[in-house]
């Protein structure tokens, strides 16, 4: 638990406040919750909207078994175990609900009761699947925000922090600043207050979804809805369904919360923590890691990318700090709209070439230190090539390898040619991630840095957001790769003793009841 809080504006304005957070089963949500528990001890309460599952029927049991057991809380459990358990028991309130259902699926009286208890909403919930079915992506990333709007309205114009993404800027090029992003490929009416009127566009999307659902079923329906999402995203100016539906969600909030306290907080590519709660903490495999792992496992040796292009990576703890700073600002000066980008591209650029060079250097010098990442030193270099060149090579090579592979299968080799499987893996990764490895944009965060400056020196120390603190060689080679090996790939579980876990389960179920 941090105690160096003298003069912190953030701690002052969060003291006694009750905040609803969605998405704490996800990566950023967990990092932010841990930061609140460790650094904001005087917060009034934290309400967690969590969907029940087949394994854990209610929010309380899911919190106890999937969130509280996370290794992100190791620091607190080792250094302040009583405080951790007391915080979970006294200040964590678990709400069993589904963000996509009307009023979170809660009875009307419970929804109104929740609104009466909270002072702010931080929405971290999202489907981050780049190729999600369009109907599902709309439900999670766009329509669910109507529940956030209604809750904020019932609660009396309380602050809403919407965690979005820098990539709502889509196919726009050049220097991207913290402002409303416009569609790159379609003309949508713009309201005089700035937001885009997306009602007609959403009606058209719904019509196409309905037509698709009438025509197909089963696995083919799912495939068609995925393809529909990508087609519509590309036609309007976005790379994928995720960023397209997040942009639509921004417009819904900007329109519905006019005159309310709203902050759109846009991170870039969120990766492992820089410092807190421990360097390199990560959960799951993120955007840049899929390519890193494919190289480490020797499945990919060439990939579409621009070595001079700036790939915008930001550690998760800087994102968490940005959310909390922007929340405190809304309590300090309510009733305004803000857009902040949490990114590194303009202030501390990392090029794709540097990323690849650091990866290969670490693999060559220290591959033995990463037992889960490398089975041996990769024997071939990792080469970034122009996308057109990549596609041409992949097409020609794929045709030859496909014939050879099919011949081997007919001869009794069950899996065909390994080189063909590896090429297919490279092509799949290209489809998903080449937009991010051939960037034609640079994100800026001047407004976020101004916010940090306004909040004062104490908050700059307690809630750092400046990407200039990242030394890329050390971060990539000694922090991020080590974190991947330790947390994401090893699946290490929280060192939680049985008594503590039993206490958490019982207290969380009591709160959910």
């Amino acid at each position: 638990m941090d105690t160096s809080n003298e003069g912190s504006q953030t701690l002052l304005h969060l003291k006694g406040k009750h905040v609803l957070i969605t998405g704490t089963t996800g990566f950023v949500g967990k990092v932010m919750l841990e930061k609140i528990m460790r650094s904001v001890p005087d917060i009034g309460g934290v309400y967690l909207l969590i969907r029940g599952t087949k394994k854990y029927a209610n929010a309380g049991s899911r919190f106890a078994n999937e969130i509280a057991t996370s290794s992100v809380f190791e620091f607190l459990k080792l250094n302040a175990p009583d405080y951790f358990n007391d915080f979970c028991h006294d200040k964590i309130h678990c709400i069993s609900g589904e963000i996509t259902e009307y009023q979170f699926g809660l009875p009307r009286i419970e929804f109104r009761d929740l609104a009466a208890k909270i002072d702010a909403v931080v929405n971290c919930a999202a489907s981050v699947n780049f190729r999600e079915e369009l109907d599902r992506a709309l439900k999670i990333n766009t329509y669910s925000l109507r529940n956030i709007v209604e809750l904020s309205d019932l609660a009396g114009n309380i602050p809403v922090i919407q965690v979005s993404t820098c990539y709502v800027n889509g196919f726009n090029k050049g220097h991207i600043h913290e402002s409303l992003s416009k569609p790159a490929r379609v003309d949508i009416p713009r309201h005089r207050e700035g937001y885009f009127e997306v009602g007609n566009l959403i009606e058209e999307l719904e019509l196409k979804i309905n037509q698709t659902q009438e025509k197909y079923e089963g696995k083919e329906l799912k495939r068609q809805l995925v393809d529909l999402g990508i087609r519509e995203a590309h036609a309007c100016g976005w790379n994928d369904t995720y960023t397209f539906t997040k942009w639509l969600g921004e417009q819904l909030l900007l329109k519905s919360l006019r005159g309310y306290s709203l902050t759109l907080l846009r991170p870039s590519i969120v990766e492992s923590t820089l410092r807190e709660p421990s360097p390199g903490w990560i959960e799951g495999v993120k955007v840049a890691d899929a390519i890193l792992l494919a190289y480490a496992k020797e499945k990919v040796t060439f990939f579409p990318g621009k070595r001079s292009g700036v790939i915008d990576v930001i550690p998760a703890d800087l994102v968490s700090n940005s959310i909390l700073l922007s929340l405190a600002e809304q309590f300090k000066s309510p009733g305004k709209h803000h857009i902040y980008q949490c990114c590194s591209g303009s202030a501390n650029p990392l090029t794709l070439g540097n990323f690849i060079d650091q990866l290969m250097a670490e693999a060559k010098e220290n591959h033995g230190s990463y037992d889960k990442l490398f089975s041996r030193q990769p024997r071939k270099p990792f080469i970034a090539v122009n996308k057109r060149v990549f596609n041409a090579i992949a097409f020609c090579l794929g045709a030859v390898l496909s014939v050879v592979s099919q011949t081997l299968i007919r001869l009794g080799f069950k899996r065909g040619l390994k080189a063909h499987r590896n090429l297919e893996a490279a092509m799949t990764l290209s489809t998903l991630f080449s937009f991010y490895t051939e960037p034609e944009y640079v994100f800026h965060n001047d407004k976020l840095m101004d916010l940090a400056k306004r909040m004062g020196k104490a908050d700059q120390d307690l809630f750092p957001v400046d990407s200039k603190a990242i030394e890329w060689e050390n971060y990539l080679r000694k922090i991020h790769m080590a974190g991947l090996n330790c947390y994401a790939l090893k699946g290490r579980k929280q060192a939680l003793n049985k008594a503590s876990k039993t206490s958490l389960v019982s207290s969380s179920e009591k709160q959910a009841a």
Side-chain angles (χ1 to χ4, degrees), residues 28 32 122 124 161 163 265 319-328:
V28 171
M32 182 178 64
V122 177
C124 296
I161 310 298
V163 181
L265 194 287
V319 178
S320 167
N321 293 336
S322 300
I323 295 170
L324 294 176
L325 282 184
S326 62
L327 177 59

Side-chain angles (χ1 to χ4, degrees), residues 35 165 186 264 290 313 346 415:
K35 178 68 173 183
T165 170
V186 68
L264 304 178
V313 170
S346 60
R415 299 189 66 194

Side-chain angles (χ1 to χ4, degrees), residues 209-348:
I209 288 171
N210 291 335
Q211 291 172 342
T212 303
Q213 290 172 334
E214 291 173 358
K215 190 173 181 181
Y216 302 96
E217 60 182 20
K219 292 182 178 179
E220 182 59 22
L221 172 59
K222 179 177 180 177
R223 189 180 72 81
Q224 291 290 336
L225 288 172
V226 169
D227 291 345
L228 176 63
I230 296 298
R231 284 199 307 272
E232 294 301 318
H234 285 183
C236 292
W238 281 269
N239 177 67
D240 47 62
T241 312
Y242 163 60
T243 52
F244 179 37
T245 53
K246 289 292 281 187
W247 179 83
L248 290 171
E250 285 195 359
Q251 308 316 306
L252 187 152
L253 287 178
L254 290 165
K255 178 178 182 178
S256 301
L257 295 180
R258 286 173 291 179
Y260 280 34
S261 304
L262 171 66
T263 296
L264 304 178
L265 194 287
R266 299 171 177 166
S268 54
I269 299 173
V270 185
E271 290 288 355
S272 60
T273 57
L274 178 64
R275 296 194 183 105
E276 298 179 291
S278 59
W281 190 82
I282 191 169
E283 183 178 64
V285 175
K286 310 308 173 189
V287 172
D289 306 327
I291 301 168
L292 189 160
L293 286 170
Y295 167 70
K297 302 301 181 183
E298 300 185 85
K299 292 183 178 296
V300 173
T301 57
F302 73 109
F303 192 82
K306 184 166 61 175
R307 282 186 59 89
S308 61
V310 175
I311 56 170
D312 204 302
V313 170
I314 194 73
D317 47 340
L318 302 193
V319 178
S320 167
N321 293 336
S322 300
I323 295 170
L324 294 176
L325 282 184
S326 62
L327 177 59
E329 178 192 35
Q330 286 291 12
F331 285 126
K332 184 179 180 180
S333 303
K336 298 179 181 178
H337 283 190
H338 301 281
I339 298 176
Y340 297 122
Q341 292 181 163
C342 187
C343 54
S344 61
S346 60
N348 188 10

